[in-house]
Amino acid sequence: IVYGAVEQTLMERLGITWDEAHKLITGWPKMFPKATEFMNACREHPMTGRPMVTVFGRERRFYVITDENRHGLENEAGNFPHQSMCSDFTLAAAIEIDALHAKGRLPGNAQQINIIHDDNMFEIDDDERAILDLVSIVRPIMEGVPVKQGIKSLPFKSDAKKGYEWSAMQKIKGA
């Protein structure tokens, strides 16, 4: 809902009826009025002509707004503050992890190969122990970055998945 999902999207993702999806969408603002107020302010931002600026100083500008692209830009503006912040956290974690790699402290020949939004992707030997060891190193870094940035009132949780293809990742048992 925060990302602008409509009933059809929720129906497909959650396996629910249109009525159930509609109740979730219409009920969300009542359950989370402050978050709704914040999201609405973000969604209206493109019409102000001013850039949005995150707590880390990242800017997002909206230039040409038309009837055709307005809804999409409003969704982008609504998503920008938290997506950008999570992206910055992920990048900071990647830098810490890279320093460990440079010192030879990652198990199983692990190499960080990509960052995708709020994910750090690794290649590692096909060895369960090495994978679990990597998770035990990376998870505290990922979860600790927001705390180092001063965000101590919200828990940030990191999950770990493995697989040979991005589309077929599975949760790691014991991680």
Side-chain angles (χ1 to χ4, degrees):
I1 294 170
V2 171
Y3 293 103
V6 295
E7 286 84 355
Q8 187 65 36
T9 304
L10 290 182
M11 287 172 53
E12 293 167 5
R13 287 187 185 162
L14 302 177
I16 59 177
T17 67
W18 189 94
D19 287 335
E20 291 169 317
H22 184 71
K23 284 179 185 174
L24 286 174
I25 290 171
T26 58
W28 194 86
K30 294 172 190 142
M31 290 180 62
F32 305 103
K34 292 282 187 194
T36 299
E37 183 181 321
F38 175 76
M39 292 303 298
N40 288 340
C42 290
R43 291 178 61 80
E44 293 169 5
H45 203 90
M47 303 311 287
T48 69
R50 297 183 322 270
M52 293 181 80
V53 183
T54 69
V55 294
F56 299 116
R58 188 184 298 251
E59 290 187 6
R60 172 67 168 94
R61 297 177 182 275
F62 301 91
Y63 294 102
V64 178
I65 300 169
T66 65
D67 288 340
E68 290 79 23
N69 72 3
R70 182 175 176 168
H71 180 73
L73 292 177
E74 288 171 344
N75 276 347
E76 287 180 29
N79 298 335
F80 175 70
H82 50 278
Q83 283 182 332
S84 177
M85 183 174 60
C86 288
S87 178
D88 288 338
F89 291 159
T90 303
L91 180 57
I95 292 167
E96 283 189 44
I97 294 163
D98 188 60
L100 293 176
H101 178 263
K103 294 175 184 175
R105 294 192 181 159
L106 296 182
N109 296 308
Q111 292 190 47
Q112 200 167 206
I113 60 168
N114 205 350
I115 299 172
I116 304 161
H117 304 296
D118 59 357
D119 293 331
N120 285 334
M121 183 182 285
F122 297 84
E123 277 189 355
I124 187 169
D125 293 344
D126 194 358
D127 172 344
E128 276 308 307
R129 182 75 255 152
I131 292 168
L132 289 172
D133 288 347
L134 180 64
V135 171
S136 72
I137 292 168
V138 170
R139 177 175 279 145
I141 293 171
M142 296 283 292
E143 294 176 357
V145 166
V147 175
K148 289 177 187 173
Q149 296 292 330
I151 300 175
K152 298 176 182 170
S153 60
L154 290 174
F156 281 79
K157 297 295 180 191
S158 172
D159 65 354
K161 296 179 182 177
K162 68 177 183 174
Y164 296 103
E165 297 178 22
W166 180 256
S167 63
M169 301 295 240
Q170 299 194 3
K171 191 170 176 107
I172 298 172
K173 292 177 183 157

